[in-house]
């Protein structure tokens, strides 16, 4: 259980910083982080960080599939927590 919580926290931090870095690169018109990476990190444990980052940085908020993956990822991660508890 503790390992799962720590991995969610780490993945959420990674997601948060990836979204922030992608926003920074977008403003500077530089090479961007792939959407598949952002979505994958969100789905594989970083949904909380991704959803917070989307609102904090106002990044990818108009793309419905980012919201969908974030919500589905959050539901899956909550289900795993309940299962292991």
């Amino acid at each position: 259980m503790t390992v799962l919580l720590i991995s969610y926290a780490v993945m959420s931090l990674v997601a948060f910083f990836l979204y922030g870095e992608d926003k920074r690169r977008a403003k500077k018109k530089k090479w961007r982080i792939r959407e598949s990476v952002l979505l994958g990190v969100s789905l594989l444990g970083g949904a909380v960080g991704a959803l917070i980052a989307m609102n904090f940085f106002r990044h990818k908020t108009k793309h419905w599939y980012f919201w969908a993956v974030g919500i589905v990822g959050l539901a899956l991660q909550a289900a795993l927590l309940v299962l292991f508890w």
Side-chain angles (χ1 to χ4, degrees), residues 4 10-11 15 17 22 26 31 34 57 62 68-70 80:
L4 189 59
V10 169
M11 288 300 286
F17 287 114
D22 191 53
W31 194 266
R34 289 182 180 210
F57 296 113
K62 294 182 180 179
V69 169
L80 276 176

Side-chain angles (χ1 to χ4, degrees), residues 3-75:
V3 172
L4 189 59
L5 287 172
I6 291 170
S7 66
Y8 284 169
V10 169
M11 288 300 286
S12 287
L13 283 172
V14 168
F16 186 84
F17 287 114
L18 283 175
Y19 275 77
E21 179 62 17
D22 191 53
K23 177 69 174 196
R24 186 186 70 79
R25 291 180 185 186
K27 285 182 176 180
K28 293 186 175 189
K29 301 198 186 303
K30 291 194 171 192
W31 194 266
R32 305 278 300 278
I33 296 170
R34 289 182 180 210
E35 286 187 349
S36 61
V37 172
L38 296 174
L39 292 168
V41 169
S42 178
L43 192 60
L44 297 174
V48 172
L51 290 170
I52 292 171
M54 285 173 62
N55 287 307
F56 184 79
F57 296 113
R58 296 181 186 185
H59 190 52
K60 301 291 187 186
T61 57
K62 294 182 180 179
H63 301 285
W64 66 269
Y65 48 93
F66 275 89
W67 287 109
V69 169
I71 292 168
V72 168
L74 190 62

